[in-house]
């Protein structure tokens, strides 16, 4: 089955339902959206020769036309390749070339540079040319597709090396959506999904359950993440849910605090994609109340490995709540999760090993990389590259990416534990801990620290603080104070860059 059917069924049976909003204003109903998508998919096939299985690239900020292109590709039986618009034009061009896109769509801000970088015609979704393509009258329905046909090529954010194309099938997206509805939130047709984070990634993937249920899609007018704009929208629109990376949640809470905003219009705030520290989620709950759900996933099992539900966030007993909030929850409804040693043998409960996932959400492989696929999927299990430990009651505690693990004096040190300890110091705003090659110990623990504005904290203070909380051998050998941590376009800290800085002679 083609995921495109999720739009056509609502478009035909409930054509008057509001579908796409730009800020507070409704732009399109489901009936209008379906017609425009049918017209665009006809143009894809007839004018541009797009056939089933061909790739269609999309490099755009969040824009009310975003999903027209996504669904038009699906209606035509093609594969959509959404690319993070914050990438440099040459990086985006690399992805479009790697996936061999037949046709590329972009927005006003990126079309020109992208066309120059990829040497290919690019259609601007905010142009007269585009308006003509969606305006013809067409009644086509989504092409026949099998569940295992590719729907979405998802390029991993690549905190190391070149991104890899993850092959996400229609079945994967159906299973992800089933997990959303079972574990994250139910959806009514009057609910709103807000594109606060890039639609090319988690925010876009989680838009799909909202298309399935014929709910409303809100695109901030700025096209980006602006805490003030989001808080403003939540004052005039109710029942808004969205996905945000932990750094975005932190910025939103800061802004809400400054303006006394309590997030009244928010329904569910889903966060994930990177570690959320205990102190940050505790602050967030005290500002907005119990609206938070955490998911742990990766492109290779999109949004779907574990979930820390709204109820888990609300556990009454303090030590139990702390335990839950330090975890990433339990396996999502339609996947299996286990922890294995390097030979694939399940480890004892509470022991750390690599996190393995199996289920219909797991990618069918990496685009044109059979070797990388063989390494990642073994005996049907996806090896995530993340380290974690699972409790007797199924709670998963993420440690680190296997490559982020620090081995000092033959002992494993998980940077996350050291970061958690440092973050409880009131003067520390952000931290990231990496290993540095060390002749004596193999690796030494190095902490990069961004202090709160105006905080006066010395290395000795931090050392003393760590000694109170973690084993002596885990405490950083060196503290490096920075004004900013290097991050990729999704806000994930670039540990590779930090390792390079830490290893530099003047690091
Ligand atoms: P990506 O494939 O770009 O979405 O990156 C996925 C990676 O982000 C995972 O393999 C984890 O290392 C990390 N990640 C995702 N969700 C979480 C989470 N809830 N907590 C901590 N790290 C996460």
């Amino acid at each position: 089955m083609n995921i495109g059917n999720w739009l056509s069924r609502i478009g035909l049976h409930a054509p008057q339902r509001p579908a796409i909003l730009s800020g507070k204003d409704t732009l399109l109903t489901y009936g209008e959206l379906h017609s425009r998508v049918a017209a665009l998919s006809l143009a894809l096939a007839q004018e541009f020769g797009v056939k089933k299985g061909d790739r269609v690239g999309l490099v755009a900020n969040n824009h009310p036309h975003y999903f027209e292109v996504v669904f038009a590709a699906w209606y035509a039986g093609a594969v959509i390749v959404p690319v993070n618009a914050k990438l440099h034009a040459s990086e985006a061009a690399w992805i479009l070339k790697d996936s061999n896109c037949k046709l590329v769509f972009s927005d006003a801000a990126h079309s020109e540079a992208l066309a120059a970088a990829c040497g290919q015609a690019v259609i601007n979704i905010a142009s007269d040319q585009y308006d003509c393509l969606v305006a013809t009258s067409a009644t086509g329905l989504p092409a026949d597709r099998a569940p295992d046909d590719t729907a979405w090529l998802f390029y991993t954010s690549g905190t190391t090396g070149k991104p890899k194309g993850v092959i996400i099938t229609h079945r994967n997206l159906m299973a992800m959506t089933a997990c959303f509805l079972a574990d994250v939130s139910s959806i009514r047709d009057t609910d709103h999904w807000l594109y606060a984070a890039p639609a090319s990634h988690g925010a876009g993937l989680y838009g799909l359950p909202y298309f399935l249920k014929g709910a409303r899609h809100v695109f901030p007018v700025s096209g980006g993440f602006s805490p003030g704009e989001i808080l403003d929208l939540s004052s005039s629109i109710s029942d808004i849910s969205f996905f945000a990376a932990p750094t975005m949640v932190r910025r939103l809470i800061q802004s809400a605090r400054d303006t006394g905003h309590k997030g009244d219009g928010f329904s569910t705030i889903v966060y994930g994609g990177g570690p959320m520290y205990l102190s940050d989620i505790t602050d967030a709950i005290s500002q907005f109340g119990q609206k938070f759900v955490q998911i742990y996933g990766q492109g290779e099992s999109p949004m779907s490995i574990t979930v820390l539900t709204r109820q888990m966030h609300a556990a009454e007993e303090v030590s139990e709540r702390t335990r839950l909030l330090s975890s990433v929850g339990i396996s999502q409804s339609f996947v299996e999760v286990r922890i294995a040693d390097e030979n694939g043998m399940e480890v004892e409960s509470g022991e750390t090993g690599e996190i393995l996932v199996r289920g219909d959400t797991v990618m069918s492989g990496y685009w044109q990389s059979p070797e990388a696929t063989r390494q990642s999927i073994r005996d049907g299990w996806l090896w995530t590259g993340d380290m974690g430990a699972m409790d007797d009651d199924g709670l998963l505690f993420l440690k680190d990416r296997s490559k982020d693990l620090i081995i000092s004096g033959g002992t494993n040190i998980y940077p996350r534990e050291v970061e958690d300890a440092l973050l409880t110091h009131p003067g520390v705003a952000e931290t990231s801990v990496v290993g540095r090659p060390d002749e004596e110990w193999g690796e030494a623990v190095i902490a990069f620290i961004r202090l709160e504005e105006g905080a006066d904290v010395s290395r000795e203070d931090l050392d003393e603080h760590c000694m109170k909380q973690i084993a002596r051998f885990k405490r950083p050998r060196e503290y490096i104070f920075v004004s900013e941590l290097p991050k990729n376009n999704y806000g994930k800290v670039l540990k590779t860059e930090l390792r390079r800085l830490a290893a530099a002679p003047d690091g």
Side-chain angles (χ1 to χ4, degrees):
M1 114 124 201
N2 186 336
I3 289 284
N5 290 335
W6 291 356
L7 173 60
S8 60
R9 65 198 271 279
I10 306 286
L12 294 173
H13 291 287
Q16 299 307 329
R17 270 196 210 165
I20 305 287
L21 283 80
S22 172
K24 297 163 197 162
D25 304 321
T26 301
L27 280 192
L28 295 173
T29 63
Y30 269 91
E32 289 163 337
L33 181 62
H34 164 63
S35 306
R36 286 165 67 91
V37 166
L40 186 56
S41 92
L42 191 68
L44 291 187
Q46 292 189 343
E47 279 187 46
F48 302 100
V50 171
K51 295 187 297 298
K52 282 185 180 178
D54 283 347
R55 271 78 54 211
V56 174
L58 175 56
V59 189
N61 287 332
N62 292 351
H63 186 283
H65 295 163
Y66 200 95
F67 279 96
E68 291 177 355
V69 179
V70 173
F71 277 98
W74 289 341
Y75 274 35
V79 176
I80 191 73
V81 187
V83 181
N84 179 2
K86 287 189 199 141
L87 293 181
H88 187 277
S90 63
E91 294 170 312
W94 183 90
I95 289 174
L96 298 169
K97 186 158 178 283
D98 187 63
S99 53
N100 193 11
C101 281
K102 183 131 195 185
L103 187 63
V104 178
F105 288 84
S106 187
D107 57 14
H110 300 93
S111 292
E112 224 170 277
L114 194 62
C118 68
Q120 191 174 357
V122 171
I123 299 174
N124 175 358
I125 57 176
S127 66
D128 293 343
Q129 180 196 13
Y130 180 85
D131 288 344
C132 288
L133 295 175
V134 292
T136 56
S137 108
T139 52
L141 290 173
D144 231 16
R145 294 271 75 190
D148 292 325
D149 286 332
T150 309
W152 183 310
L153 262 190
F154 177 102
Y155 277 79
T156 54
S157 51
T159 47
T160 52
K162 286 261 186 246
K164 288 201 283 281
V166 172
I167 300 172
I168 299 178
T169 64
H170 292 267
R171 185 195 302 281
N172 294 152
L173 294 175
M174 284 186 245
M176 175 202 76
T177 299
C179 283
F180 182 101
L181 294 170
D183 300 324
V184 177
S185 175
S186 57
I187 301 174
R188 295 161 306 171
D189 56 14
T190 48
D191 288 335
H192 299 83
W193 182 250
L194 172 79
Y195 294 87
S200 54
H201 216 77
L205 287 161
Y206 266 1
L208 299 178
Y210 285 78
F211 280 105
L212 172 69
K213 302 301 288 182
R216 302 165 186 188
H217 303 258
V218 182
F219 289 84
V221 176
S222 69
F225 175 73
S226 153
E229 184 180 26
I230 290 172
L231 292 172
D232 191 38
L233 280 171
S234 81
S235 303
S236 37
I237 303 178
S238 53
D239 302 317
I240 297 189
S241 299
F242 60 93
F243 173 79
T247 44
M248 297 163 76
V249 173
R250 202 168 33 234
R251 283 180 56 200
L252 195 66
I253 296 300
Q254 189 75 51
S255 175
R257 264 210 214 116
D258 294 347
T259 51
H261 207 293
K262 286 292 188 191
D264 289 335
F266 295 143
S267 173
T268 302
I269 300 173
V270 192
Y271 65 92
M276 172 66 100
Y277 296 99
L278 191 57
S279 56
D280 287 336
I281 188 62
T282 307
D283 283 356
I285 294 170
S286 71
Q287 188 68 26
F288 286 162
Q290 294 297 350
K291 301 186 171 178
F292 293 89
V293 175
Q294 177 174 191
I295 62 100
Y296 155 56
Q298 60 176 201
E300 292 82 345
S301 179
M303 312 300 271
S304 315
I305 301 177
T306 63
V307 62
L308 188 74
T309 63
R310 189 188 281 252
Q311 289 86 337
M312 292 172 181
H313 280 77
E316 266 178 31
E317 210 267 307
V318 178
S319 64
E320 175 62 357
R321 190 169 64 236
T322 304
R323 188 174 83 94
L324 286 160
L325 291 181
S326 312
S327 79
V328 289
I330 60 170
S331 59
Q332 292 194 18
S333 287
F334 307 110
V335 298
E336 296 166 273
V337 179
R338 65 179 220 195
I339 312 295
D341 64 18
E342 59 272 21
N343 302 314
M345 300 300 289
E346 202 151 345
V347 302
E348 298 278 313
S349 107
E351 298 266 307
T352 298
E354 186 161 343
I355 300 165
L356 273 47
V357 192
R358 183 166 70 175
D360 277 352
T361 57
V362 171
M363 66 165 181
S364 61
Y366 290 112
W367 176 248
Q368 293 182 332
S369 308
E371 187 44 43
T373 303
R374 261 194 300 281
Q375 278 176 20
S376 286
I377 303 179
R378 296 179 233 158
D379 297 330
W381 289 89
L382 169 72
W383 289 62
T384 61
D386 290 320
M387 306 298 282
M390 199 178 261
D391 259 10
D392 280 334
D393 52 355
L395 272 189
L396 180 66
F397 295 83
L398 263 190
K399 302 294 177 181
D400 287 282
R401 302 284 304 164
S402 47
K403 64 181 179 312
D404 292 337
L405 182 72
I406 301 169
I407 305 181
S408 188
T411 310
N412 291 356
I413 299 174
Y414 297 99
R416 177 78 192 263
E417 277 181 84
V418 186
E419 291 162 2
D420 269 327
L422 284 166
L423 275 171
T424 59
H425 190 292
V428 174
E430 265 189 300
T431 180
S432 186
V433 168
V434 296
R436 175 167 72 197
D438 184 274
E439 270 187 24
E440 192 179 351
W441 297 98
E443 273 185 299
V445 177
I446 310 294
F448 285 81
I449 309 275
R450 180 171 73 79
L451 291 176
E452 293 286 0
E453 228 171 278
D456 182 18
V457 181
S458 68
R459 293 179 166 80
E460 292 70 33
D461 295 337
L462 292 176
D463 225 31
E464 202 178 303
H465 184 77
C466 282
M467 298 271 269
K468 284 190 204 140
Q469 302 190 57
I470 50 174
R472 178 178 268 274
F473 71 89
K474 293 182 187 169
R475 78 185 201 282
R477 191 77 62 76
E478 193 177 331
Y479 300 90
I480 301 177
F481 293 100
V482 291
S483 55
E484 228 181 313
L485 290 172
K487 292 185 183 146
N488 74 7
N489 288 308
Y490 293 106
K492 290 191 196 205
V493 174
L494 293 167
K495 291 222 169 190
T496 318
E497 175 65 11
L498 289 180
R499 276 191 282 269
R500 197 184 59 72
L501 288 173
D506 57 353

